């Protein structure tokens, strides 16, 4: 990312942000509320586009025109997984099980492979008893775990997470921390925002401060 600028209704949020992330790195975004952490993660995921500056993924500049190519967009979204801060934005299927299967189905995986991925993710996040429940009947923590599990079934190369600890109890926070450390050991790239300095110190190789001086 070079000189990224983004504004909402002419109010600048990101001003000349530069960031280069290498494969296998873990980078934490931190700063006060409104500093642009969520905005930067949306740009990384090709959901919005900077008004100035450039963003390249694997050497290819990500622009509205490029993302309008369905074949490339599908490839891009298989490579980068996004866990939103508010899981209600992310969950839309009729059951937890369907939610976890949606991504692999869009990838065109075989039925047996989809079932294996879904069952593994349900087991890992302790969601087996909730597999047939509609997401809108879940608690905040259960929704967050479902959102994480739905990205896990996609097995992306790059994980992006917006305030991943929010709405989680202490036990689940610890489990998530261990999970992200496992992803690091597996060579995954992780970009996340957080206000928790202890969590950042455990996961991040380096940090990028947004907003302020």
């Amino acid at each position: 990312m070079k000189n990224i600028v983004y504004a909402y209704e002419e109010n600048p949020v990101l001003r000349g942000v530069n960031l280069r992330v290498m494969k296998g790195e873990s980078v934490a975004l931190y700063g006060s509320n409104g500093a642009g952490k969520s905005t930067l993660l949306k740009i990384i995921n090709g959901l919005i586009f900077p008004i100035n500056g450039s963003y390249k993924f694997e050497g290819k500049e990500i622009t509205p025109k490029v993302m309008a190519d369905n074949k490339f967009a599908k490839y891009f979204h298989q490579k980068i997984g996004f866990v939103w801060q508010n899981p209600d934005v992310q969950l839309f299927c009729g059951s937890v099980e369907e939610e976890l299967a949606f991504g692999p189905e869009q990838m065109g995986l075989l039925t047996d492979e989809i079932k294996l991925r879904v069952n593994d993710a349900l087991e890992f996040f302790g969601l087996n008893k909730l597999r047939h429940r509609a997401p809108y009947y879940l608690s905040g923590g259960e929704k967050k775990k479902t959102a994480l599990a739905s990205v896990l079934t996609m097995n992306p190369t790059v994980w992006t997470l917006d305030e991943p600890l929010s709405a989680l109890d202490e036990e689940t926070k610890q489990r998530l921390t261990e999970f992200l450390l496992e992803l690091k050991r597996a060579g995954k790239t992780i970009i996340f925002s957080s206000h928790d300095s202890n969590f950042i110190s455990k996961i991040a190789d380096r940090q990028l401060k947004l907003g302020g001086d």
Side-chain angles (χ1 to χ4, degrees), residues 59-70:
K60 189 176 186 68
E61 187 167 0
I62 305 304
T63 65
K65 183 178 179 179
V66 166
M67 293 303 291
D69 178 341
N70 289 333

Side-chain angles (χ1 to χ4, degrees), residues 190-202:
I190 304 170
I191 307 169
F192 68 98
S193 67
S194 180
H195 289 94
D196 189 318
S197 58
N198 185 48
F199 177 66
I200 289 175
S201 67
K202 290 179 179 177

Side-chain angles (χ1 to χ4, degrees), residues 83 100 137-138:
V83 180
L100 272 58
Y137 286 131
L138 301 177

